[in-house]
Amino acid sequence: MALTTRANRAKGRTDESLFDRELDHLPPDARWREWMHRVEATIFAASEPVGRETLARIVGKSCSIDLLIDDIREELRGRPYDLVSVAGGWKHLTRPAYADAIRSAFGTAGGGNGRAVDLTQSDVLVLMCIAYFQPITRAELSSFFGKEISRDLIGHLRGAGLIASGPRSPTPGAPYTYVTTKAFLLEFALDTLRDLPDFGALEDAGLLSKEKLLAGDIMPEFSGSQQEAGVMAED
């Protein structure tokens, strides 16, 4: 077994050393075109966003991946899909204008890959709160909306992979906090959390504040709504 493992590793190193990244034998234009094709093919074949380090393995050392991506995206203008920077990498995503067509075909805007998550309005609002104020506890979420946020709702978001447990809160009882995940970025086509609408600017303008949110002063129609009482029921 050990000999087989060493042999496989040696074979892997040999195969890697034979792969021509630099393409020095090609004219500059042809070399650039081949690098573009490699990058686009790799991203197309991947089920998750492809990061810069992965792409750097298939192009020359002097190649600018950002410029390659720009040229690929330019060629995709007018196509129903684009190359999008999301969750720390790049991924092919269909354009929003075709969401209805995809939904009609597959029953979900996510198409045939099954990645789209079925979220209620309550789910989205709670997820928004977690995204902006993470790490945040369930008790703080309940204060935000003025109604108990059920474990079922939190469990649904966890089951969808959109949130995960964060560090324990320093408050009495040391409850778990919640944070968003890479799957959250992918679901909402965000590269990083910095791509969320700028809440800091809203705070600076005096339009919103964490204190008001946690005091239940924002969106009272949500806290008083009975339409989704089952989702927001007490434990």
Side-chain angles (χ1 to χ4, degrees):
M1 179 66 70
L3 290 175
T4 301
T5 301
R6 285 196 291 270
N8 288 339
R9 289 176 180 172
K11 182 177 183 298
R13 285 195 296 270
T14 301
D15 291 344
E16 185 176 344
S17 65
L18 292 175
F19 182 72
D20 185 1
R21 295 177 177 80
E22 302 301 331
L23 302 176
D24 290 332
H25 63 287
L26 294 178
D29 288 348
R31 183 186 311 136
W32 188 259
R33 173 63 57 180
E34 176 61 20
W35 284 338
M36 286 175 61
H37 288 170
R38 289 180 178 184
V39 166
E40 187 170 9
T42 299
I43 295 172
F44 182 83
S47 60
E48 299 291 336
V50 180
R52 185 180 302 273
E53 290 184 3
T54 299
L55 297 180
R57 300 173 193 159
I58 58 174
V59 299
K61 293 181 180 179
S62 63
C63 176
S64 169
I65 292 174
D66 290 318
L67 292 179
L68 275 181
I69 295 292
D70 287 345
D71 282 356
I72 294 171
R73 296 194 65 192
E74 182 63 29
E75 289 198 346
L76 292 178
R77 287 183 181 273
R79 303 300 298 273
Y81 54 88
D82 194 6
L83 199 57
V84 179
S85 178
V86 59
W90 287 277
K91 184 176 177 62
H92 284 288
L93 293 177
T94 51
R95 299 186 188 276
Y98 298 94
D100 288 342
I102 296 171
R103 188 178 294 108
S104 296
F106 297 107
T108 170
N113 57 15
R115 289 205 58 89
V117 179
D118 185 17
L119 299 175
T120 66
Q121 183 178 13
S122 297
D123 292 334
V124 172
L125 290 172
V126 171
L127 190 57
M128 178 195 72
C129 183
I130 295 173
Y132 277 112
F133 299 129
Q134 60 188 300
I136 187 170
T137 66
R138 190 165 65 90
E140 289 177 315
L141 289 169
S142 298
S143 296
F144 180 112
F145 295 109
K147 181 178 284 290
E148 187 78 6
I149 301 300
S150 73
R151 286 188 172 90
D152 287 343
L153 190 151
I154 295 297
H156 177 57
L157 295 178
R158 284 176 61 95
L162 299 175
I163 65 171
S165 295
R168 287 192 179 265
S169 170
T171 57
Y176 279 109
T177 60
Y178 297 100
V179 296
T180 54
T181 63
K182 182 178 179 179
F184 165 80
L185 297 176
L186 181 58
E187 182 68 24
F188 293 95
L190 301 172
D191 191 15
T192 70
L193 290 173
R194 291 189 296 271
D195 295 326
L196 286 167
D198 190 1
F199 192 90
L202 299 177
E203 283 192 306
D204 292 342
L207 299 176
L208 289 177
S209 72
K210 183 175 182 179
E211 290 73 18
K212 287 183 179 180
L213 288 168
L214 295 180
D217 292 340
I218 304 299
M219 294 186 295
E221 69 279 2
F222 178 89
S223 62
S225 174
Q226 301 298 317
Q227 295 179 356
E228 296 175 301
V231 179
M232 311 304 289
E234 296 184 0
D235 297 343

